[in-house]
Amino acid sequence: MNRSYLAKTNKAALFFAMALLPSGLAYSQTKKDTAAKEKKIEEVVVIGYGTQRKEAVTGSVATVKGDALREVPSANITQALQGRTAGVDISQTSTKPGATMQIRIRGTRSLTNSANDPLIVLDGIPFVGSLGDISSSDIKSLEILKDASATAIYGSRGANGVILVTTNRGAKGQRPRFSYNSFTGVQTLFSRYPMMDGPSFYKLRQYATPVPAAGQTTSSPLYTTNGDESPTTNTDWQKLYYKPAMITSHDLGVSGGTDGGNYNVGLSYFKQDALIPLQNYERFSLRIALDQQVGKNFKFGFTTNTNYSESEANGLNPGAVLGYSPLASPYNTDGSLKTLMTTAGGIDQTWIYTRQGINNLGDKYVDETKSFASYNNIYGEANLPLTGLKYRLNVGLDYRTSNSGNYTGVGVFNTNPLGISSAGRGNNQTYHWVLENLLTYDRTFGKHKINAVALYSAEGNRYISTYMSAKNVPADFFQYYNLGQSPQADISVRPEDQQYFQNGLLSAMGRVMYTFDNKYMLTATLRSDGSSKLAPGNKWHTYPALSLGWNVTNESFMENVKAINLLKFRVGWGQTSNQAIQEYGTLGRLTVVPYNFGNTNSTGVYVGLAPNADLRWEYSKTQNYGVDFGLFNNRLTGSLEYYKTHTEDILMDKSLVPTAGIPTQRGNYAESENKGWELGLNGLIINNPNGFSWEAGVNFYTNKNQILSLSSGTTRDENNLWFVGYNINALFDYQYVGLWQAGDPYQNILEPGDPRDVIGSIKVLYTGGYNADGTPVRAIGPADRQIFNTAPDWQGGFNMRFSYKGFDLSTVGAFQKGGILISSIYGPSGYLNRLTGRGNNVDVDYWTEENTGAYFPRPGRHLSGDNPKYSSTLAMFDASYLKLRTITLGYNISKDFLKDLKLNSLRIYFTVTNPLVLFSPYHKFSGMDPEPNSFGDQNQAVNSNYKNRQLIVGANNPSTRNYLMGINLTF
């Protein structure tokens, strides 16, 4: 990282922070303002199994209001949540329509990726869906519980943090109120993949020559230009594949109430097309919430959230298209589209993907998934004879099913025009239920306020998944609907494609919250969980949590300190546990293997996972220290926190010695640690309700994650990329230091070989010793590989809102400093930077005799397989960036005008998403979005060493910049 870049980044952050300091706040010292300062903050937040005044919260709880989420029109509210809260890292895992996002609260604790997902609670009931299943129009508020003292009430399910989603409900006695929220717009290409055009690629191919034979001074290119290629052709394959696409959302709701109850009903529709052909995502949602008071002592209600979605052509991506030679034409001499082309001197034959060609397939290709989900919560609440004592029963009943089908006709996507057809069909179902018994006591005795909750709950899950496939489908119109029409020998039902499991959880919990004189607060929690996944004798685990708070503002010595409206100190300690592993790990696993015994087809089994009768809970101990403050009539509010989480007995699979005859065993073998700082600031910089107002918020946070120990006392697991003392998502590779140049000392020792082959190739760091005369003792080899921490130094987000009369302008952004971004399109696994001229290449500055200062190596020389040696080092980039996610300009129609139309409110707005990226070395280099778009094992031409838990830039759908028009209407 160069100094000028650091200076620019620090200046930008400093400027924004300065805007929130008291010197930038416009406030008066009138008697009216002084009286307002003395008012106490009475905001109520949801904390799990109840609510609490924000002033009295002792745990680490962050709140994002539904109105703030709706400032970012999106298919998934996680996109609107990005950058809003310190300590919450939300990352893109895919750029396909309808894709979910990865959420990490205060780092990664477990070694298994899915074991780090937070718990989502919808209206008080654990939610087995994703945040993408909930419409932003339906959300009243979203609370994030981050430390153990706040999450312990949810036990093992809350080990990785908890996201509480509270939906809108009607109010008692409210007249029916209708709302309509909609946006529609166009998605455009944020940036193309930076591939070479025809002239650049032809120049590369001509220069990519092997070392001349003995007695020769020149050699021919590795690959020739003939057949379907021509030096004068310049085809833009991406232009033939991408097309601007539409995105639209409609949400209609009605809410109201009577003297004894309330209701809220909503219907929403969302559709997003992709820039690539045929691909789209469509969702229909219905939500109903009813509450009814029966007499003075009873209350009943239910909430249902049901949705149906369809996704099409998710199997398509631009990976193959990016590698097409720009010297080849997609058209025949008569102007018709080719189906196949031959390139690289006849070595490569490729089926041609173009938008027009794929759209013309008709019944010859289908790839779709249809999903249905219904999430339901029924509750009953009774006031018991003792004042302040209530009993509540929550019943959650959820059902999810997904049906997938695919069909590829004869010759489709195949270099053989007679390639056989194939089809597949899958189905999975999830049944989930939860039963919670809650006893709550809430009373105030003078200066003493007590809230106590006791819970006993049971939860169960059942999952069924099946898949079958077939070849030689008789006709295209059958597609995947009747696989039995295929020849019986071509129908396949593989054992590994069928799954079934059940699991259960029993829990008991008690929590007491005590406040004295609105100054001193205590929260104590004790919870026990019993999991069916763990071994007998280890199924139950009990863990405590305790947090204390001191509201200094309410002390007598603060009465005359008018500039401070809130000053509260918090400290918390607690333990949570995790049982997020596959079912039946204690029993081991038999793997089924079909095989031929002579002329007979048989099925055998072998032990693929050793049993473990000592499988127990993985658990974390967390410390949290925080201070909340409000200054200058609460014109500047915020919090500062420090946390430390130590996770022990991490559940993981350990490789066994070959003599065991069993490859792995699941057990509790590792430890990890996360610690960091979080700072959040919100400022009302200018406040003029009748004129110009300016609000701003910013948050910074750090997270240092490291593995403390691995199984059997080892310090490294190179196969899984786990290393003691480094973060869980570390890399293990050589360190790029430049290119070998003519005259470099010791080249013949460190990188032996013909200098004509080595000069201009990648030079990596040598870590070995030196002889007395200063010469290296050995050649560069595997011992020189380094461990790289990939996590950023710090991250954050910001938001600003300007308003003037009926107009408002808002923006939301995010930033991070440092870390490593993996871009596989520049590494060997993407096959897009081979620098040999075989297939198209990313447009890079490569070494030539006239350009020895280049970053990328000489084409065609010093190869390892199909790629330059050490080319994996070219995939690592500085992950820093500052990004505006949205800019929105809105206008609220005058209420006087709306009164004549019998409307309550009407707002129209225009939004641009993904409009600007700054301070990003990767964006400056490539023009691409600096955020990942794939898991480590996805969207690459060949297998790589990247793991599923790692996020990379791969050959996925290109990022988009969206232009949206929207309306918010109530009447």
Side-chain angles (χ1 to χ4, degrees), residues 119 155 159 285 427 429 539 581 623 700 733 737 791 920:
L119 170 69
S285 299
N427 170 265
Q429 297 175 328
K539 291 183 180 294
I581 58 169
Q623 305 169 43
F700 299 87
D733 206 342
V737 296
S920 167

Side-chain angles (χ1 to χ4, degrees), residues 193 195-196 201 205 229 237-238 242 317-328 341 343-344 348 350 830-834 837-842 941 955:
Y193 280 83
M195 307 306 296
M196 290 183 172
F201 179 65
R205 176 175 282 180
E229 293 179 290
W237 291 102
Q238 293 187 74
Y242 307 142
N317 64 51
V321 175
L322 300 178
Y324 288 167
S325 168
L327 304 177
M341 64 179 175
T343 59
D348 292 329
T350 311
Y831 265 20
L832 298 175
N833 194 24
R834 290 180 283 188
R838 180 171 180 176
N840 200 10
N841 210 90
V842 285

Side-chain angles (χ1 to χ4, degrees), residues 134-358:
I134 308 170
S135 170
S136 61
S137 296
D138 196 37
I139 294 178
K140 179 181 180 181
S141 69
L142 190 150
E143 273 80 20
I144 302 172
L145 314 183
K146 296 187 285 187
D147 72 326
S149 65
T151 65
I153 55 170
Y154 288 105
S156 61
R157 295 172 300 183
N160 302 303
V162 181
I163 300 176
L164 305 177
V165 181
T166 304
T167 59
N168 293 314
R169 308 183 89 84
K172 288 184 179 180
Q174 174 190 315
R175 296 177 57 186
R177 176 176 295 178
F178 294 85
S179 64
Y180 174 65
N181 301 296
S182 174
F183 65 83
T184 188
V186 62
Q187 304 167 99
T188 63
L189 194 64
F190 175 81
S191 66
R192 301 157 54 88
Y193 280 83
M195 307 306 296
M196 290 183 172
D197 60 13
S200 297
F201 179 65
Y202 184 70
K203 181 180 179 181
L204 167 71
R205 176 175 282 180
Q206 293 300 106
Y207 189 74
T209 58
V211 174
Q216 302 293 319
T217 57
T218 61
S219 59
S220 300
L222 292 171
Y223 301 101
T224 58
T225 303
N226 53 35
D228 287 318
E229 293 179 290
S230 167
T232 59
T233 301
N234 186 13
T235 300
D236 187 342
W237 291 102
Q238 293 187 74
K239 185 176 181 180
L240 294 173
Y241 199 57
Y242 307 142
K243 181 183 179 181
M246 297 298 296
I247 180 172
T248 187
S249 175
H250 302 278
D251 192 294
L252 181 65
V254 57
S255 63
T258 64
D259 291 339
N262 57 77
Y263 60 88
N264 187 302
V265 180
L267 181 67
S268 63
Y269 170 78
F270 175 82
K271 185 175 183 182
Q272 181 181 7
D273 295 321
L275 270 62
I276 68 175
L278 298 185
Q279 198 174 93
N280 66 73
Y281 173 77
E282 191 172 23
R283 182 185 66 217
F284 301 85
S285 299
L286 172 67
R287 59 189 185 279
I288 302 173
L290 293 176
D291 301 285
Q292 181 62 49
Q293 188 76 36
V294 180
K296 293 183 178 180
N297 295 320
F298 297 96
K299 185 178 181 181
F300 302 91
F302 80 91
T303 302
T304 181
N305 191 318
T306 300
N307 60 64
Y308 171 80
S309 65
E310 293 187 6
S311 60
E312 301 281 350
N314 270 336
L316 295 178
N317 64 51
V321 175
L322 300 178
Y324 288 167
S325 168
L327 304 177
S329 172
Y331 302 107
N332 295 306
T333 54
D334 62 359
S336 61
L337 277 172
K338 295 178 181 177
T339 303
L340 303 174
M341 64 179 175
T342 302
T343 59
I347 293 179
D348 292 329
Q349 189 176 43
T350 311
W351 197 91
I352 300 176
Y353 291 80
T354 62
R355 174 172 287 275
Q356 182 181 349
I358 292 176

Side-chain angles (χ1 to χ4, degrees), residues 892-969:
N892 291 283
I893 307 298
S894 168
K895 291 186 178 295
D896 293 336
F897 178 77
L898 296 177
K899 186 176 181 181
D900 297 333
L901 299 176
K902 301 186 182 301
L903 301 177
N904 292 330
S905 66
L906 174 60
R907 178 175 181 265
I908 56 175
Y909 62 88
F910 175 74
T911 296
V912 181
T913 67
N914 218 11
L916 184 64
V917 174
L918 299 170
F919 311 115
S920 167
Y922 182 68
H923 175 71
K924 183 178 179 180
F925 176 79
S926 66
M928 296 181 63
D929 191 327
E931 291 191 83
N933 63 16
S934 308
F935 286 111
D937 59 350
Q938 296 177 332
N939 300 306
Q940 301 179 69
V942 294
N943 293 331
S944 71
N945 290 325
Y946 304 130
K947 305 303 176 183
N948 177 263
R949 66 180 185 272
Q950 297 172 311
L951 296 178
I952 67 170
V953 175
N956 207 335
N957 290 19
S959 294
T960 63
R961 177 179 287 124
N962 304 337
Y963 300 90
L964 309 173
M965 284 288 294
I967 182 174
N968 305 124
L969 172 66

